[in-house]
Amino acid sequence: MPELISERIDGKEYWMTSDAPGHTAHDKSGVDLLPAFDEYLMGYKDRAAVLTVEDAQRIVPGRNGIFLPTIVVGGRVVGTWKRKLKKNSIDIELRPFAHLGDSDERAIEAAKLYSDFVGLPLSSTEIKAES
């Protein structure tokens, strides 16, 4: 059974299990495509450890309570994404807030993993960086 450990991020103490994804002992280069309303963001009132205040408005445009699906790189929310389901395939559009740089390939691989999950081949993946 994993034990609890604490980590300080920006002067605040956070508790997690020793085997939690995103912990400093783990690989910080991983890319995940999370669905809208995922508990990664929804489970916390203070999201500063994973999302900047400036980018929060991009995740909940209009502050209407509707969260967009997120791109997470190394534990930080760095963009949004959307899918277009077709009859026999899926298109995925990635919208990072800034260029992903070295994470581009891993983001495309995450899109492929998602297409495998829904059981449709990936017909296109487009990265549209806002910057």
Side-chain angles (χ1 to χ4, degrees), residues 77-91:
V77 175
V78 300
T80 62
W81 67 282
K82 63 181 175 179
R83 68 181 190 178
K84 182 177 182 182
L85 293 173
K86 298 179 179 180
K87 183 177 180 179
N88 296 313
S89 65
I90 185 171
D91 293 336

Side-chain angles (χ1 to χ4, degrees), residues 41-96:
L41 286 179
M42 299 300 295
Y44 303 93
K45 181 177 180 180
D46 180 359
R47 299 176 179 109
V50 297
L51 179 65
T52 67
V53 173
E54 299 80 27
D55 290 341
Q57 294 178 10
R58 295 171 168 175
I59 301 298
V60 187
R63 296 183 184 194
N64 58 7
I66 305 298
F67 284 66
L68 298 176
T70 57
I71 303 168
V72 177
V73 176
R76 301 280 307 171
V77 175
V78 300
T80 62
W81 67 282
K82 63 181 175 179
R83 68 181 190 178
K84 182 177 182 182
L85 293 173
K86 298 179 179 180
K87 183 177 180 179
N88 296 313
S89 65
I90 185 171
D91 293 336
I92 295 181
E93 181 180 289
L94 305 170
R95 291 190 167 257

